[in-house]
C-alpha cells in the first residue's frame, strides 16, 4: 500500500493545501515550523481519526493543537491511497457538529458500506498504537517512541503473528483469574452432602409410611370392636383431600386450615368409631372456624362464591376479548367523526341533506364514544373485584385464566371439607348416647390409633418439605457441577496461555529477532552479527561471539537498533500481503553520515519490499546522501 496524495481543507496552519506523493522515497523538506509534523499528524488522523484510545485529555489536546488557525468549520480533508488493485479516497471532517467519515473506492466508483472495517483491512489489521510504534516514527522519537517498548513486549508475550494486539496474555490471564474467583463464589460446597442426607431421610420416611403402623393404620381388632370400621375407612380415605385443601389455603389462613386438616384426618377416622364426643366436637369446631375465616358458612356459601366469581370472570373476559373494552366503539366513533366532518364540509356546497348526514354521524359518534367509555369502566371495575377475591383466596392479585382455574380448584377442596363436616355432624346426631358409651369403652385403643394417624400426618408434611428441599439442593448440585466444569475450562485456558507464552522463540519473538538481525548486519556493516530481544524486552547484540547489552552501545548504534526493530516489526505485524509505508519525522538527527548512508541505502534497496518511505526533515543531509548514492527520490519543499 502507498499514499498517492492528500488535500487539507483545514488542519493546523494549512488551509486548502495539496501534496502529491510518489512511490519509493519521498523527502519532505522544510525549516522549523514549516508544518512537517502537522502533515505527519494529518496522515495519521486520516487513517485512524481522533480516537479515545489515547485518553480523553490527550485526544482533546491533539485535536485542539490541530484545529485550523482560520475557518475551524473546515477541519479535515482527503487522503488518497492504493493497495495495488484499487484506489481509495478517505474523507474526514473533524469539525464536531459534522464528524463525517467516508471511504470511497474510486476504481469501482462506490462508497464502502463499512468504511471502518475496510480501512482496517487495508492497513493489515494494524491498530493505531502499533502504527505509531512501528511504521510511523514521530518527531525525535525513534527510540522507544510512543510506547514502542510496551507494544513490542506485548507482541512477544502474546506470540501474536496476526498483527492483532487486542489479545494481551497478561491481561487475559488476570481476566480469567477474576472469572474463576466469581465462579468460586457461586459454589455451595455443602450442597452435595446435604442433598445425600435429605435423600436418606426421604427414603426412611417413605419406608415408615409404607408400614401399617407408620401409615397410621388401625391396630388389629379396632374396627370390629367399634362396629364402625367402614365409616372410619371412608373418613381415612378422605384425609388426603382434606390435607390438600388445607395446604392450598390463602396465605393468611394457611396455619388454621392445616390445623383443621390435621384434626380432620384423625377426627374422620376416630369420630365414626366413637372415639369421644369431645374429640369430634373439637374437629367440628375447628373446621367451622377455618371456613369462617375464609368467609364461608357451609357448602352453599362456597358454591355461591364460586359461581359468582366464575360469572364475574367470564363477564370481565367478554369485555376484554376482541377489543370490546372500549377499543372497537372508540374506533367506530373516530370513523363516524370523520364522516360527520366530511358531511359538514359537503354542506358548504350543498346544505340540506349534507347537514342531516353530518348531524346523524355526529350523534352516532357520541353514542359509540360514551358506550366505549362505559365498557372500559365496567371492565376495570370487574377486574378490581376479581383482584380482591384472588388476593383473599390465592394470595396473589393476578387476573388470568390460570388464576380462575386455581380458584375453582381451591373451592373444590373447601367443598370436600364441607362434605366431610356435614357427614360428621350427621353422624354425631345418629350416634347419640350409645355411640358415646362405645367410644368411652374403646377410648384406649382409639387413642393409640389417633396417635398413629397424627404421627403419619406429621411424617407426610415433613416428607413434602424434604422433597421440596431435595429439589432445591439438586439444582444446587447441578449448578456446582456446571461451575466446576467452567472452572476446569478456565484452568485449561490459563495453562495453555502460559505454555504458549513460555515458547516465545517459536513464533513472533523468533521472527522479530531473525528479521532485525538481518537488518542490523547491513546497517552496521557486519560489526554486529545479530540481536536478541527477550520477553522483558531486554536487547542484546552479538559482536563476534561477545554479547553486548544495548545500554553499552553508543547513541548512534542504539538508534540503528531501534530502527532495525521498527522495520522488523513493520514486516511481521501487518496481515500477510500488506506492505505499509514508512514515515520518519526528523528520525535521523543523531545519525552520522556513514550511518545515515547505510539506513537510506537499506530503505531504497530490495530488502525493504518496495515500500513507500516518507522522510520529514529540516536538514539537507538526507537529500545529499541520496544524491551521492544515485538513489532517486521525490523531493518536496515546504515554504
Amino acid at each position: 500500500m502507498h499514499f498517492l496524495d492528500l488535500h487539507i481543507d483545514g488542519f493546523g496552519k494549512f488551509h486548502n493545501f495539496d501534496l502529491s506523493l510518489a512511490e519509493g522515497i519521498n523527502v519532505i523538506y522544510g525549516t522549523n515550523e514549516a508544518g512537517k509534523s502537522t502533515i505527519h499528524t494529518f496522515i495519521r488522523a486520516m487513517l485512524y481519526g481522533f480516537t479515545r484510545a489515547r485518553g480523553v485529555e490527550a485526544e482533546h489536546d491533539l485535536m485542539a493543537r490541530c484545529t485550523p488557525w482560520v475557518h475551524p468549520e473546515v477541519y479535515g480533508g482527503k487522503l488518497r491511497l492504493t493497495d495495488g488493485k484499487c484506489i481509495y479516497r478517505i474523507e474526514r471532517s473533524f469539525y464536531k457538529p459534522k464528524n463525517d467519515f467516508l471511504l470511497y473506492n474510486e476504481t469501482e466508483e462506490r462508497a464502502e458500506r463499512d468504511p471502518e472495517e475496510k480501512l482496517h483491512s487495508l492497513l493489515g489489521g494494524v491498530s493505531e498504537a502499533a502504527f505509531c510504534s512501528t511504521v510511523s516514527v514521530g518527531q525525535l522519537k525513534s527510540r522507544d517512541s510512543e510506547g514502542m517498548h510496551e507494544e513490542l513486549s506485548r507482541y512477544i508475550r502474546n506470540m501474536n503473528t496476526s498483527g492483532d494486539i487486542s489479545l494481551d496474555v497478561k491481561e487475559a490471564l488476570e481476566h480469567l483469574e477474576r472469572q474463576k474467583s466469581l465462579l468460586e463464589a457461586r459454589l455451595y460446597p455443602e450442597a452435595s452432602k446435604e442433598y445425600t442426607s435429605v435423600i436418606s431421610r426421604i427414603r426412611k420416611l417413605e419406608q415408615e409410611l409404607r408400614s401399617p403402623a407408620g401409615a397410621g393404620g388401625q391396630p388389629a381388632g379396632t374396627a370390629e370392636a367399634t362396629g364402625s370400621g367402614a365409616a372410619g375407612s371412608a373418613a381415612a380415605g378422605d384425609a388426603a383431600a382434606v390435607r390438600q385443601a388445607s395446604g392450598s389455603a390463602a396465605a393468611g389462613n394457611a396455619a388454621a386450615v392445616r390445623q383443621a386438616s390435621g384434626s380432620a384426618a384423625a377426627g374422620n377416622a376416630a369420630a365414626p368409631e366413637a372415639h369421644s364426643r369431645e374429640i369430634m366436637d373439637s374437629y367440628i369446631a375447628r373446621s367451622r372456624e377455618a371456613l369462617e375465616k375464609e368467609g364461608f358458612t357451609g357448602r352453599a356459601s362456597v358454591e355461591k362464591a364460586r359461581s359468582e366469581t366464575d360469572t364475574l370472570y367470564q363477564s370481565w373476559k367478554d369485555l376484554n376479548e376482541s377489543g370490546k373494552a372500549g377499543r372497537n366503539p372508540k374506533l367506530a366513533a373516530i370513523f363516524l367523526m370523520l364522516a360527520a366532518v366530511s358531511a359538514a364540509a359537503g354542506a358548504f356546497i350543498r346544505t340540506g341533506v349534507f347537514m342531516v348526514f353530518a348531524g346523524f354521524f355526529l350523534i352516532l359518534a357520541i353514542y359509540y364514544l360514551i358506550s366505549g367509555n362505559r365498557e372500559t369502566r365496567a371492565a376495570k371495575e370487574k377486574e378490581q373485584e376479581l383482584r380482591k377475591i384472588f388476593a383473599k383466596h390465592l394470595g396473589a392479585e393476578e387476573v388470568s385464566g390460570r388464576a380462575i382455574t386455581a380458584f375453582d380448584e381451591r373451592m373444590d377442596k373447601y367443598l370436600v371439607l364441607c362434605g366431610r363436616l356435614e357427614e360428621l355432624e350427621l353422624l354425631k346426631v345418629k350416634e347419640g348416647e350409645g355411640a358415646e358409651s362405645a367410644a368411652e369403652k374403646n377410648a384406649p385403643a382409639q387413642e393409640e390409633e389417633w396417635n398413629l394417624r397424627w404421627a403419619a400426618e406429621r411424617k407426610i408434611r415433613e416428607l413434602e418439605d424434604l422433597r421440596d428441599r431435595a429439589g432445591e439442593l439438586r439444582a444446587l448440585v447441578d449448578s456446582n457441577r456446571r461451575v466446576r466444569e467452567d472452572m476446569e475450562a478456565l484452568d485449561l485456558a490459563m495453562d495453555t496461555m502460559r505454555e504458549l507464552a513460555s515458547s516465545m522463540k517459536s513464533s513472533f519473538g523468533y521472527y522479530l529477532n531473525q528479521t532485525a538481525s538481518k537488518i542490523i548486519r547491513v546497517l552496521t556493516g557486519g560489526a554486529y552479527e545479530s540481536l536478541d530481544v527477550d520477553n522483558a524486552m531486554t536487547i542484546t547484540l552479538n559482536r563476534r561471539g561477545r554479547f553486548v547489552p544495548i545500554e553499552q552501545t553508543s547513541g548512534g548504534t542504539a538508534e540503528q537498533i531501534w530502527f532495525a526493530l521498527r522495520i522488523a516489526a513493520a514486516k511481521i505485524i501487518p496481515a500477510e500481503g500488506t506492505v505499509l509505508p514508512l514515515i520518519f519525522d526528523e528520525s535521523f538527527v543523531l545519525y552520522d553520515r556513514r550511518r545515515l548512508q547505510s539506513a537510506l541505502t537499506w530503505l531504497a534497496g530490495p530488502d525493504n519490499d518496495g515500500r513507500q518511505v516518507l522522510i520529514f526533515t529540516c536538514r539537507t543531509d538526507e537529500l545529499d546522501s541520496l544524491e551521492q548514492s544515485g538513489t532517486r527520490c521525490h523531493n518536496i519543499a515546504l515554504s
Side-chain angles (χ1 to χ4, degrees), residues 617-635:
T617 180
C618 64
R619 307 183 307 164
T620 60
D621 293 2
E622 290 85 355
L623 287 171
D624 293 342
S625 295
L626 290 169
E627 184 177 347
Q628 288 177 10
S629 63
T631 303
R632 296 180 58 185
C633 70
H634 182 211
N635 183 13

Side-chain angles (χ1 to χ4, degrees), residues 405-467:
T405 300
F407 176 81
D408 288 341
E409 292 174 353
R410 180 68 47 80
M411 296 302 104
D412 287 341
K413 292 164 187 174
Y414 280 119
L415 287 173
V416 170
L417 185 60
C418 290
R420 302 285 71 79
L421 185 59
E422 292 170 359
E423 290 179 8
L424 286 175
E425 289 177 336
L426 181 62
L427 186 60
K428 176 183 175 182
V429 173
K430 290 181 179 179
E431 285 290 322
E433 293 298 329
E436 183 178 356
S437 176
E440 292 173 354
K441 182 178 180 181
N442 294 285
Q446 294 304 315
E447 186 68 26
E448 181 181 355
E449 182 181 356
W450 171 277
N451 292 334
L452 288 174
R453 290 185 180 275
W454 183 250
E457 287 293 324
R458 288 201 308 270
K459 290 178 182 179
I460 289 172
R461 285 194 290 271
E462 182 184 359
L463 185 61
E464 291 172 352
D465 293 340
L466 287 172
R467 282 172 176 165

Side-chain angles (χ1 to χ4, degrees), residues 531-579:
L531 64 78
D532 181 80
V533 184
D534 63 14
N535 280 1
M537 202 60 193
T538 301
I539 303 173
T540 307
L541 291 95
N542 180 5
R543 184 182 177 90
R544 300 182 182 89
R546 177 172 169 264
F547 295 96
V548 182
I550 188 174
E551 293 81 9
Q552 297 180 10
T553 63
S554 65
T557 301
E559 287 294 324
Q560 289 180 308
I561 293 169
W562 286 110
F563 176 89
L565 284 173
R566 282 184 174 278
I567 302 300
K571 284 174 169 285
I572 298 171
I573 290 174
E576 186 176 357
T578 302
V579 179

Side-chain angles (χ1 to χ4, degrees), residues 292-557:
E292 288 172 1
K293 285 183 178 180
E294 292 296 316
F296 301 133
T297 58
R299 179 189 298 274
S301 62
V302 174
E303 291 176 343
K304 181 181 179 183
R306 175 175 179 171
S307 175
E308 290 178 350
T309 303
D310 287 345
T311 302
L312 181 63
Y313 175 78
Q314 188 60 45
S315 176
W316 173 83
K317 183 179 178 182
D318 290 342
L319 287 171
N320 281 277
E321 282 182 351
S322 304
K324 289 182 180 179
R327 289 189 293 273
N328 284 350
K330 288 181 180 178
L331 188 62
I334 291 172
F335 280 116
L336 288 168
M337 284 284 190
L338 292 175
V341 170
S342 299
F348 282 104
I349 301 172
R350 294 181 61 186
T351 55
V353 68
F354 282 103
M355 288 301 296
V356 172
F357 277 115
F360 175 72
F361 288 142
L362 184 59
I363 291 170
L364 281 180
I366 294 171
Y367 168 76
Y368 276 108
L369 193 59
I370 294 173
S371 175
N373 289 334
R374 186 187 301 115
E375 291 183 356
T376 301
R377 287 195 301 272
K380 288 182 179 179
E381 289 172 359
K382 293 180 186 298
E383 182 177 343
Q384 288 300 321
E385 292 181 36
L386 287 169
R387 286 183 184 277
K388 291 179 182 178
I389 294 171
F390 292 156
K392 178 180 179 181
H393 295 287
L394 302 179
E397 295 186 359
E398 177 191 5
V399 179
S400 63
R402 182 173 55 185
I404 193 64
T405 300
F407 176 81
D408 288 341
E409 292 174 353
R410 180 68 47 80
M411 296 302 104
D412 287 341
K413 292 164 187 174
Y414 280 119
L415 287 173
V416 170
L417 185 60
C418 290
R420 302 285 71 79
L421 185 59
E422 292 170 359
E423 290 179 8
L424 286 175
E425 289 177 336
L426 181 62
L427 186 60
K428 176 183 175 182
V429 173
K430 290 181 179 179
E431 285 290 322
E433 293 298 329
E436 183 178 356
S437 176
E440 292 173 354
K441 182 178 180 181
N442 294 285
Q446 294 304 315
E447 186 68 26
E448 181 181 355
E449 182 181 356
W450 171 277
N451 292 334
L452 288 174
R453 290 185 180 275
W454 183 250
E457 287 293 324
R458 288 201 308 270
K459 290 178 182 179
I460 289 172
R461 285 194 290 271
E462 182 184 359
L463 185 61
E464 291 172 352
D465 293 340
L466 287 172
R467 282 172 176 165
D468 290 341
R469 181 57 179 163
E472 296 171 359
L473 290 170
R474 181 63 200 174
L476 288 173
V477 170
D478 291 341
S479 176
N480 283 348
R481 176 180 54 77
R482 291 191 296 270
V483 167
R484 289 193 174 96
E485 289 175 355
D486 291 342
M487 291 173 63
E488 290 174 2
L490 289 177
D491 286 335
L492 178 61
M494 288 188 284
D495 290 342
T496 303
M497 284 187 178
R498 293 188 185 102
E499 183 179 349
L500 289 174
S502 66
S503 60
M504 179 266 295
K505 288 193 175 181
S506 65
S507 56
F508 182 86
Y510 173 77
Y511 293 110
L512 179 69
N513 288 334
Q514 290 293 309
T515 306
S517 295
K518 184 177 179 181
I519 298 171
I520 203 67
R521 281 196 297 271
V522 174
L523 295 179
T524 61
Y528 293 98
E529 297 175 5
S530 64
L531 64 78
D532 181 80
V533 184
D534 63 14
N535 280 1
M537 202 60 193
T538 301
I539 303 173
T540 307
L541 291 95
N542 180 5
R543 184 182 177 90
R544 300 182 182 89
R546 177 172 169 264
F547 295 96
V548 182
I550 188 174
E551 293 81 9
Q552 297 180 10
T553 63
S554 65
T557 301

Side-chain angles (χ1 to χ4, degrees), residues 263 277-288 450:
S263 301
R277 186 170 298 279
E278 288 80 6
I279 294 174
M280 183 183 295
D281 290 343
S282 175
Y283 170 70
I284 292 173
R286 294 188 181 190
S287 298
R288 284 291 179 195
W450 171 277

